[in-house]
Amino acid sequence: ASPPAIIPVTSVVRTVNGGTASVAVTFTSRADRTYTVYGSADPAAWGVPLTSTLSATGTSTTYTESGIPLSTPRRFYKIREN
């Protein structure tokens, strides 16, 4: 089996909302496909997906993770087409 295709991330925007932050991750997508989005503080340990049912309607899709503690030094994201 071939490795999964790399899905280009085109934008990552962090916004502070009071005591927490949100991160909007925009990536290149294909219409009528679904995507799984992972987020982690450690790129070697992805764990449970943030969502596995994100539907794309066009060539660009955004997933927003919210409620991230401000003390979180960094987040990594990985997207896979289902």
Side-chain angles (χ1 to χ4, degrees):
S2 60
I6 294 172
I7 297 177
V9 171
T10 56
S11 171
V12 178
V13 177
R14 180 178 186 259
T15 305
V16 175
N17 307 307
T20 62
S22 63
V23 176
V25 180
T26 302
F27 59 94
T28 302
S29 60
R30 297 193 292 170
D32 302 321
R33 301 292 178 125
T34 60
Y35 292 85
T36 299
V37 179
Y38 296 86
S40 177
D42 179 356
W46 290 103
V48 177
L50 298 170
T51 183
S52 60
T53 58
L54 183 61
S55 297
T57 58
T59 59
S60 182
T61 300
T62 300
Y63 176 80
T64 301
E65 180 184 17
S66 57
I68 303 166
L70 294 178
S71 60
T72 304
R74 65 180 66 117
R75 294 285 287 164
F76 298 90
Y77 294 92
K78 174 172 69 171
I79 296 107
R80 290 206 170 138
E81 186 177 272
N82 298 333

